[in-house]
Amino acid sequence: MEKLPANLFGLLTCVLALVLSSVSAVTDDPQDKQVYIVYMGSLPSGLEYRPMSHHMNILQEITGESSINGRLVRSYKRSFNGFAAWLSEPERQRIAEMEGVVSVFRSKKLKLQTTASWDFMGLKEGKNTKRNLTVESDTIVGVIDTGIWPESESFSDKGFGPPPSKWKGVCSGGKNFTCNNKVIGARDYEGEGTRDLDGHGSHTSSIVAGNAVAGASFFGIGNGTARGGVPAARIAAYKCCDSTGCNSDAILSAFDDAIADGVDLISISVGGVAIRYDEDTTAIGAFHAMARGILTVNSAGNEGPNPNSVGSVAPWILTVGASTTNREFLTEVVIQNGKTLGRSVNSFDLEGKNYPLVYARSNVKGKILVSRELVSSDVAVATIIKDNRNFAIINSHPLSALSPDDFEFLVSYVNSTKSRQGTVLKTETDFNQKAPKIASFSSRGPNPIAVDLLKPDITAPGVEILAAYSPLGSPSGERDQRHVKYSVISGTSMSCPHVAGVAAYIRTFHPDWSPAAIQSAIMTTAWSMNASETGVASTEFAYGAGHVDPIAALNPGLVYELDKADHITFLCGLNYTSKALKLITGEAVTCTGNTLPRNLNYPSMSAKLSKTNSSFTVTFNRTVTNVGTPNSTYKPKIVLNHGTKLSVEVSPNVLFMKSVKEKQSFTVTVSGSNIDPELPSSASLIWSDGTHKVRSPIVVYTDVSQ
Ligand SMILES: *[C@@H]1O[C@H](CO)[C@@H](O)[C@H](O)[C@H]1NC(C)=O
Ligand SMILES: *[C@@H]1O[C@H](CO)[C@@H](O)[C@H](O)[C@H]1NC(C)=O
Ligand SMILES: *[C@@H]1O[C@H](CO)[C@@H](O)[C@H](O)[C@H]1NC(C)=O
Ligand SMILES: *[C@@H]1O[C@H](CO)[C@@H](O)[C@H](O)[C@H]1NC(C)=O
Ligand SMILES: *[C@@H]1O[C@H](CO)[C@@H](O)[C@H](O)[C@H]1NC(C)=O
Ligand SMILES: *[C@@H]1O[C@H](CO)[C@@H](O)[C@H](O)[C@H]1NC(C)=O
Ligand SMILES: *[C@@H]1O[C@H](CO)[C@@H](O)[C@H](O)[C@H]1NC(C)=O
Ligand SMILES: *[C@@H]1O[C@H](CO)[C@@H](O)[C@H](O)[C@H]1NC(C)=O
Ligand SMILES: *[C@@H]1O[C@H](CO)[C@@H](O)[C@H](O)[C@H]1NC(C)=O
C-alpha cells in the first residue's frame, strides 16, 4: 500500500495527495496549445490554503470551461506553489496578468547527458576507506532521471534496514514497480511508471549510491567491482525523462517533491543550453533545495569543446565537467603487416579470422567495411570508422574507431592493392597514463549568463564508465538487440553522479555543513589540472577548480560560505528585476546596495574584462570560515599558470583563525595589461596553514568566445 507523505504541510498534503491521484498527466497534444509553467512562488503558510483547488480555479476562470480535465499537467504544491497546464496563447497572456502569478513560461525539452573510477579518485573499496556507515545508511540521494531498475544487484537491499525515519516520500513507481530498503522512493512524472526503460537513470543512480557488485562487466569488458560513492546510502528515483529527453515542468515537480520527501542531496544529469536563471527550472528548483540545505549537483553538458557551451550556470548548483580515468578501452585492428589501436567497446570476437577490407559501401557482405562514418550495415562482418572523439562507443556490430591519422593510413593501405585483409579484435582494457584529461564533449565556459562566475566548477570521471543499466534499454540504440545489466557510457551525465557521491560522502562526516560548504570543500581540494594544449578547450573553462578528490575534500581547512541572502545579492548585482527575483526565490525581494557579482563569496574567482582595457585592475572580496583546527595561521601563495602575465596581491597576507567557525575576510587584487585575447589568464590562490591547501582558481578573460 502506498504510504501518504506526512511532510511539512502535514494534513494539507495528505488531502491533496488524494486529489492529485485523480489528475493524471496529459498525453494528447492540442495543436494550438502548449504546456506552460505557471509559477506562483512560495507556498502561502496556513492550513486553509489549498494549492490544487486554487490551481484548478485559476484554470477554470481562464479557460471558461467547467471541466478542465486534461488541461492541468501537474501541480507544484509541496515546496513551492504553481502548476503546469496546456494553454493557448491568449490564455497564457490572461493568466500572466492574474494576481499571485509570478511568471508563465514554456515547458522545454531538456537533454540527458552519460568502476574503476572510484579507485582512480582515491576512494578505495572496503576497509581502505574511512566511512561512517551509520550516517551513510541514513543518507538519501534523490536522482532526477529516466527512473531506475530496482531489481539490479546494484540496488539490492540485502543488509539494509528500513528507510531512515526522516523519509517522507512514497513508492509510487506504477504497476510492477516495487521499492525496497535501498530504492526507498519512486515517483513518476511521465505516466509510464518509474521503471527505467532506457538505462540512463539506473546508470547514474548506481554511480552515486549503487552497491558494490563484483564481476560486473559488459560481456567481460571492464570486468571488476562496480560500486557507487556511497554504497550504504538510499536512493529515491524521480522519473522526469525518457530516452527522448526530459520535460522541464516535470523537473520542477521532481524538485518540489524531493525537497519535501526529505532527500539529503539531488543529482540531476540533465540540461540544455544556458538560460537566464528565472527561466531555468533546474536553477529554480535547485534554489529552493539550497534554501532547505540540500545541494544540487548537475552535469555541465555535452556540447563541448565550443566555448560558452556550459548549460548549468547557477552558483547554488555544483556543475560538473567530464574527464578520463586511467582505464581506457582499446580495440585493435590487425592488418597483414601490423596493427593499429582504435577505440570502441567491442564485445564481439571474430576469433582472429581475417576478412577482406573494403573502402566502399556496396558489396560489403562478408567483408570489413572501412568507412569515414558509421553507416548501418548488418551484412558487413565489422566496421572500421574514423573518429576523433576521445571516448569509446558501443555498436550493435563489431566496430573499431581509428584516429584520423591511423584511419587515413588504413585507407591508403586498403586502396593500394586489392584483396587486403584484416580483422578487428575484442576490446581490451588499457592503462591510460595521461588521465585525467578533459573530454572533448564536456561543455565549456565562459558562463554565458553570469560572465564573472566561473563554470563548470569541477571535473570528474565521465568517460567510458561501467555502471548498472536497464535490461530493457539498448546498449547502443534500436538496432542493438542485446540486453545487459551493466553498460559503458560516457558523458557529463556520468561525472555528475560521481561528484554527487562525493558530496554525499562528505556529508556523512559533516552533517551540519551547508550546501555551499560542501561545494567549497570539493572545489578547493581538487587536483590541479593543466591549463595547456588546445586553447580554451583545456583551461579552467573546461575543468573549473580541477579534478575532484574525495578524501582531501573531507578536510578542507577553510570553506567559502554562502547562504540564500548571498545568492540574492548576487542576483541583484546581475540587475535582475524584482519580478525575476521573485520567480527564482519564490518571495518578494528588495535589492539594496549594488554589489558586484564577482564579489559573491564563491570558491573560484573570475572576471570578464572589457576588450578595450589594455591595463586593468580587478578586485575580489572573499570571506573564509575555519572548519579545520583552532589557532591556525594561513598564508597565501599565488601560482601563475603557464604563460600568464598577471600581478596578484592578497590583503591581508596572513589570516589567523583562533577558533573553529571563525570567519576572516580578504581582498584579491589582480592587475595586468594586454592579456592574451584568445585565452583566459589564470592563476591559483592557495591558502595554507602547513596542513591544508585551500586552492581557488583566479581567471580573467576578454571575449575568448568571439
Ligand atoms: C558516525 O557519526 C555519528 C554522528 O555524527 C557519531 O555519533 C558516530 O560516533 C560516528 N561513528 C563513527 C564510527 O565514526
Ligand atoms: C515487470 O518487471 C520485471 C522485472 O522485475 C520485468 O522483467 C517485466 O518485463 C515487467 N513487466 C512488465 C509488464 O512491465
Ligand atoms: C570477471 O572476473 C571474475 C574474477 O576474476 C571471473 O570469475 C569472471 O568469470 C569474470 N567475468 C567475465 C564475464 O569475464
Ligand atoms: C581510396 O579509394 C577511394 C575510392 O576509390 C577514393 O575515393 C579515395 O580517395 C582513395 N583514398 C586514398 C587515400 O587513396
Ligand atoms: C602539467 O604539464 C607539465 C608539462 O607538461 C608537467 O610537467 C606537469 O606535471 C603537469 N601538471 C599536472 C598537474 O598534470
Ligand atoms: C547593472 O546595472 C549597473 C547600473 O546601471 C551597471 O553599472 C552594471 O554594469 C549592470 N550589471 C550587469 C551585470 O549588467
Ligand atoms: C579598465 O581599466 C580601468 C583603469 O585601469 C579600471 O578602472 C576598470 O575597472 C577596468 N575595467 C575592467 C572591466 O577591467
Ligand atoms: C572589499 O574589501 C575592501 C577591503 O576590505 C573594502 O574596502 C570594500 O568595501 C569591499 N567591497 C565590497 C563590495 O564588499
Ligand atoms: C589557542 O591559543 C591560545 C593562546 O595561545 C590558547 O589559550 C588556547 O588554548 C588555544 N586554543 C586551542 C583550542 O588550542
Side-chain angles (χ1 to χ4, degrees):
M1 200 193 93
E2 273 182 17
K3 201 174 69 163
L4 280 173
N7 70 4
L8 284 177
F9 310 110
L11 182 68
L12 173 66
T13 308
C14 294
V15 173
L16 291 169
L18 292 169
V19 179
L20 186 65
S21 58
S22 64
V23 184
S24 60
V26 179
T27 46
D28 61 319
D29 186 348
Q31 288 193 334
D32 57 333
K33 299 191 184 72
Q34 286 175 331
V35 176
Y36 286 96
I37 297 168
V38 180
Y39 183 74
M40 300 162 70
S42 289
L43 274 170
S45 49
L47 276 180
E48 65 284 358
Y49 181 69
R50 289 183 155 66
M52 277 284 292
S53 19
H54 189 199
H55 302 162
M56 294 202 271
N57 287 346
I58 292 177
L59 267 180
Q60 268 162 355
E61 189 181 329
I62 287 298
T63 61
E65 296 163 13
S66 57
S67 163
I68 48 136
N69 220 352
R71 288 296 202 105
L72 188 64
V73 177
R74 59 187 96 251
S75 271
Y76 313 115
K77 57 187 174 46
R78 303 185 68 203
S79 303
F80 38 84
N81 194 10
F83 60 94
W86 289 98
L87 299 174
S88 66
E89 177 54 25
E91 288 165 355
R92 181 196 70 81
Q93 284 174 11
R94 283 202 301 276
I95 244 174
E97 317 253 283
M98 286 182 77
E99 169 98 31
V101 171
V102 178
S103 178
V104 182
F105 51 104
R106 279 269 312 271
S107 178
K108 291 198 185 63
K109 201 85 175 169
L110 303 178
K111 283 190 221 162
L112 290 164
Q113 292 161 335
T114 277
T115 317
S117 50
W118 292 108
D119 282 316
F120 175 65
M121 290 155 69
L123 200 66
K124 307 284 185 212
E125 220 190 323
K127 292 205 166 62
N128 298 324
T129 293
K130 164 173 122 168
R131 287 188 185 274
N132 186 326
L133 289 176
T134 315
V135 181
E136 191 170 310
S137 150
D138 268 347
T139 302
I140 306 164
V141 182
V143 182
I144 300 178
D145 212 301
T146 63
I148 195 166
W149 192 264
E151 293 81 11
S152 167
E153 226 184 314
S154 292
F155 310 125
S156 148
D157 68 353
K158 208 172 141 216
F160 282 81
S165 55
K166 67 185 177 190
W167 175 241
K168 302 186 196 89
V170 295
C171 183
S172 171
K175 269 186 256 164
N176 197 25
F177 188 102
T178 314
C179 290
N180 59 28
N181 286 331
K182 173 80 184 174
V183 180
I184 59 171
R187 292 185 185 269
D188 164 43
Y189 308 92
E190 294 295 296
E192 57 175 27
T194 313
R195 185 166 290 285
D196 180 10
L197 309 178
D198 178 78
H200 191 274
S202 303
H203 206 265
T204 55
S205 300
S206 70
I207 294 170
V208 195
N211 299 319
V213 177
S217 74
F218 182 77
F219 298 100
I221 297 170
N223 190 8
T225 300
R227 62 191 165 97
V230 277
R234 321 298 178 113
I235 297 167
Y238 298 86
K239 180 167 176 173
C240 295
C241 317
D242 58 23
S243 53
T244 67
C246 327
N247 291 311
S248 61
D249 60 293
I251 288 174
L252 202 51
S253 268
F255 273 101
D256 183 32
D257 283 327
I259 295 165
D261 287 347
V263 304
D264 295 303
L265 194 109
I266 293 169
S267 182
I268 171 169
S269 291
V270 167
V273 294
I275 45 175
R276 287 172 54 96
Y277 302 128
D278 54 335
E279 292 168 6
D280 178 346
T281 50
T282 303
I284 293 169
F287 191 95
H288 288 271
M290 174 274 296
R292 304 280 194 95
I294 303 165
L295 177 65
T296 300
V297 185
N298 188 202
S299 42
N302 297 338
E303 310 301 322
N306 301 332
N308 280 308
S309 52
V310 61
S312 171
V313 290
W316 52 88
I317 291 177
L318 181 48
T319 305
V320 190
S323 45
T324 57
T325 71
N326 56 8
R327 177 173 78 180
E328 63 183 344
F329 295 127
L330 296 177
T331 306
E332 259 180 50
V333 171
V334 182
I335 53 180
Q336 203 172 10
N337 44 3
K339 58 184 186 178
T340 175
L341 289 173
R343 296 189 85 152
S344 69
V345 181
N346 177 38
S347 63
F348 304 101
D349 193 350
L350 300 181
E351 293 166 346
K353 195 167 168 231
N354 280 313
Y355 294 90
L357 297 163
V358 286
Y359 180 77
R361 278 177 185 230
S362 60
N363 194 19
V364 294
K365 189 165 195 278
K367 296 175 184 162
I368 294 179
L369 172 64
V370 178
S371 166
R372 289 197 180 269
E373 50 206 42
L374 188 55
V375 288
S376 25
S377 167
D378 293 338
V379 288
V381 174
T383 309
I384 300 170
I385 59 166
K386 173 164 116 172
D387 193 356
N388 57 6
R389 289 175 297 182
N390 48 5
F391 65 97
I393 58 167
I394 297 180
N395 186 42
S396 56
H397 291 81
L399 173 95
S400 183
L402 302 185
S403 71
D405 283 355
D406 289 347
F407 182 85
E408 296 311 332
F409 174 82
L410 184 71
V411 168
S412 58
Y413 171 80
V414 170
N415 271 11
S416 62
T417 318
K418 282 205 169 124
S419 72
R420 292 293 198 190
Q421 295 223 330
T423 193
V424 174
L425 303 188
K426 189 177 170 177
T427 295
E428 303 231 354
T429 299
D430 197 31
F431 184 79
N432 175 13
Q433 264 178 324
K434 290 187 188 143
K437 235 180 133 182
I438 201 84
S440 58
F441 59 75
S442 186
S443 287
R444 309 301 208 265
N447 179 340
I449 302 301
V451 295
D452 290 349
L453 180 78
L454 186 65
K455 285 281 170 175
D457 294 307
I458 191 93
T459 186
V463 177
E464 299 165 10
I465 305 299
L466 179 83
Y469 210 66
S470 162
L472 292 185
S474 155
S476 73
E478 274 167 25
R479 296 161 48 80
D480 199 334
Q481 300 299 314
R482 293 174 294 177
H483 300 285
V484 294
K485 293 180 171 167
Y486 289 85
S487 192
V488 177
I489 330 183
S490 298
T492 53
S493 278
M494 284 66 239
S495 59
C496 165
H498 275 99
V499 172
V502 173
Y505 176 64
I506 296 170
R507 212 180 167 283
T508 63
F509 292 96
H510 306 289
D512 55 329
W513 279 12
S514 68
I518 295 175
Q519 171 164 1
S520 176
I522 290 174
M523 289 172 66
T524 63
T525 59
W527 302 344
S528 59
M529 301 266 288
N530 254 345
S532 64
E533 298 181 32
T534 42
V536 176
S538 174
T539 64
E540 288 81 358
F541 288 142
Y543 49 71
H547 189 283
V548 64
D549 180 343
I551 301 295
L554 285 182
N555 186 13
L558 305 173
V559 291
Y560 292 81
E561 274 291 2
L562 283 170
D563 60 16
K564 188 169 109 179
D566 296 315
H567 288 297
I568 290 172
T569 304
F570 166 82
L571 293 168
C572 289
L574 288 175
N575 297 336
Y576 273 44
T577 61
S578 51
K579 186 164 183 188
L581 283 167
K582 187 168 182 194
L583 183 46
I584 300 162
T585 64
E587 58 197 56
V589 170
T590 318
C591 291
T592 52
N594 185 15
T595 306
L596 295 173
R598 69 166 181 264
N599 280 329
L600 178 76
N601 198 36
Y602 211 62
S604 61
M605 297 167 213
S606 181
K608 182 176 176 180
L609 306 169
S610 71
K611 225 172 190 170
T612 53
N613 254 22
S614 55
S615 71
F616 64 89
T617 300
V618 280
T619 59
F620 301 92
N621 283 18
R622 291 294 185 271
T623 300
V624 281
T625 305
N626 187 18
V627 295
T629 38
N631 286 342
S632 46
T633 304
Y634 281 86
K635 289 186 177 152
K637 184 176 155 194
I638 298 294
V639 178
L640 294 183
N641 284 336
H642 178 72
T644 296
K645 294 174 290 178
L646 290 178
S647 155
V648 183
E649 272 165 36
V650 183
S651 169
N653 63 8
V654 60
L655 299 179
F656 177 68
M657 294 289 195
K658 190 163 182 302
S659 55
V660 176
K661 293 192 181 160
E662 186 172 337
K663 292 179 188 289
Q664 295 283 351
S665 297
F666 61 93
T667 300
V668 176
T669 305
V670 183
S671 52
S673 57
N674 298 317
I675 60 166
D676 189 337
E678 302 296 323
L679 282 176
S681 291
S682 64
S684 293
L685 162 64
I686 306 160
W687 284 106
S688 181
D689 63 348
T691 308
H692 304 96
K693 282 191 172 152
V694 191
R695 192 173 57 86
S696 289
I698 302 170
V699 177
V700 293
Y701 68 103
T702 57
D703 246 342
V704 286
S705 52
Q706 265 93 57

